[in-house]
Each structure stands twice: as C-alpha cells, then as structure tokens.
Amino acid sequence: MTELIGLGAHRLVLDTRADRDAHDRRTLRQALGTRPSKTALTYEHLDSKSEPLLWLSDAIG
C-alpha cells in the first residue's frame, strides 16, 4: 500500500473471493491506518470476468 500511494495510484482492484473479501478489507484498512482520507486511493472487489486486467492472472494461472 505504501508503494502504491507513493506512486500516486488511484485505484486498486482485487479479484473477488466471497470468503476472503472481508479479510482483504481488514488488511487494507490496517495497512492504510489513518491515511485513507489523505490519499486518492480507492479499492474494490470485482469478479475477474468484469475487469480485463484481472484476466491476465487467470490466463497465466
């Protein structure tokens, strides 16, 4: 997260896995600490079929 923020990232897309999404959100909140309001970074979970860049990991896997 620190590196993404340092690079000026604005969006983080994670492949949704219903049983792990809550864990991802907790981990991201913990990593961001008090910084979320001070960054332009947003994150979301999407099904890999709806986000073309997530297709890469499916194709490689």
Side-chain angles (χ1 to χ4, degrees):
M1 294 307 298
T2 302
E3 189 171 336
L4 287 174
I5 292 167
L7 291 171
H10 296 282
R11 183 174 179 225
L12 174 63
V13 176
L14 303 163
D15 195 2
T16 191
R17 302 161 315 206
D19 58 329
R20 300 293 296 169
D21 289 1
H23 179 267
D24 290 345
R25 285 190 293 274
R26 282 192 305 273
T27 301
L28 290 167
R29 279 195 299 268
Q30 183 179 19
L32 290 171
T34 59
R35 293 178 286 174
S37 61
K38 297 177 184 175
T39 71
L41 183 69
T42 60
Y43 63 88
E44 61 186 318
H45 287 92
L46 295 176
D47 186 279
S48 60
K49 294 178 184 91
S50 63
E51 179 58 46
L53 288 178
L54 292 176
W55 300 346
L56 294 173
S57 61
D58 289 342
I60 292 168

